[in-house]
Amino acid sequence: MDVLHSDVRELWLVQSRDCTQDPVGLSYDRARFILTVHGGHGARCHQYLAASAYCFRLATDA
């Protein structure tokens, strides 16, 4: 992933700040970003679980 523009980074941070909400409109880069931000939150973090499932699904389809 290339370095994110600061505006995109801030937007993604705001959109993914609530661990109880599922992320919307995931791309591979955005899912990896969410995994980085929410990595230590545990099994109740919807953001982390959804991003992890998205990346796993892409890996198994390849």
Side-chain angles (χ1 to χ4, degrees), residues 3-24:
V3 176
L4 288 175
H5 191 275
S6 61
D7 291 344
V8 173
R9 183 181 187 285
E10 290 301 316
L11 176 64
W12 286 0
L13 279 172
V14 169
Q15 290 174 338
S16 68
R17 72 175 175 253
D18 187 358
C19 291
T20 64
Q21 298 294 316
D22 291 328
V24 198

Side-chain angles (χ1 to χ4, degrees), residues 24-38:
V24 198
L26 284 178
S27 65
Y28 180 74
D29 288 339
R30 186 167 178 198
R32 297 292 301 168
F33 175 82
I34 290 171
L35 289 175
T36 302
V37 172
H38 291 269

